[in-house]
Amino acid sequence: GSPDIDTGMHWLRQAAQQDYAPAEGALGFLLVTGEQHVPKSRAEGVQWAEKAAAAHDACGYYALGYAYQMGNGEPVDPAKGWYNFAAAQRVDTKHELKDASDQMSLVATKLSPPQLQNLQAEVARIPVPTKNAARVNMGSNFDSSSQK
């Protein structure tokens, strides 16, 4: 990898290892998707994303949605994919996730109406974070205009 990516990943891992959920989610996202030229490590990415999602981090949920939708690190599971994209959208109070709703629409075509209703009810129980929740900007899937 490039020195910049390696250095960035080093510091992101340091923050994630301190149980900082936004770093865990960002690390999971990068490892699952391979965005920003980060070498994919799907299994490790899912582990970090699960930790972040347990703390209701949008990026962690998004990474899990991607993993379940694409089979990156997990078996393809449309219901889990939709749930995690919907959860990401619910807790993304700064509206940084550009395509979560598009991903939800793609995955929804593989679900029955009763499945969607049950998943919507589950997502509705996820607490919405305060507006001042911390965030790590991840690049192309996120709107950097709100980062100043």
Side-chain angles (χ1 to χ4, degrees):
S2 86
D4 289 341
I5 291 170
D6 292 342
T7 300
M9 289 298 288
H10 167 79
W11 290 112
L12 192 55
R13 280 182 195 282
Q14 292 293 313
Q17 289 167 351
Q18 300 299 312
D19 296 324
Y20 182 56
E24 294 167 349
L27 185 58
F29 171 80
L30 290 171
L31 292 170
V32 167
T33 65
E35 293 241 352
Q36 307 295 322
H37 306 288
V38 170
K40 287 183 182 179
S41 178
R42 294 175 178 132
E44 181 186 2
V46 166
Q47 288 176 340
W48 284 114
E50 286 173 341
K51 277 191 78 175
H56 302 297
D57 177 74
C59 199
Y61 280 126
Y62 187 92
L64 288 175
Y66 186 88
Y68 284 115
Q69 177 189 21
M70 306 302 277
N72 289 353
E74 292 293 326
V76 171
D77 186 329
K80 287 182 179 180
W82 190 93
Y83 171 86
N84 282 288
F85 284 130
Q89 189 174 48
R90 179 169 173 85
V91 300
D92 181 25
T93 58
K94 293 184 179 182
H95 307 289
E96 294 174 327
L97 295 170
K98 290 180 179 179
D99 69 348
S101 61
D102 293 340
Q103 298 300 331
M104 288 166 56
S105 295
L106 288 172
V107 178
T109 63
K110 298 175 180 145
L111 301 171
S112 69
Q115 282 178 303
L116 278 173
Q117 287 177 330
N118 289 338
L119 291 167
Q120 288 167 338
E122 285 182 45
V123 169
R125 289 191 288 270
I126 296 171
V128 177
T130 63
K131 298 277 182 195
N132 297 326
R135 164 65 41 230
V136 174
N137 186 339
M138 291 316 318
S140 65
N141 280 323
F142 298 88
D143 178 5
S144 60
S145 64
S146 64
Q147 299 292 312
K148 300 220 176 194

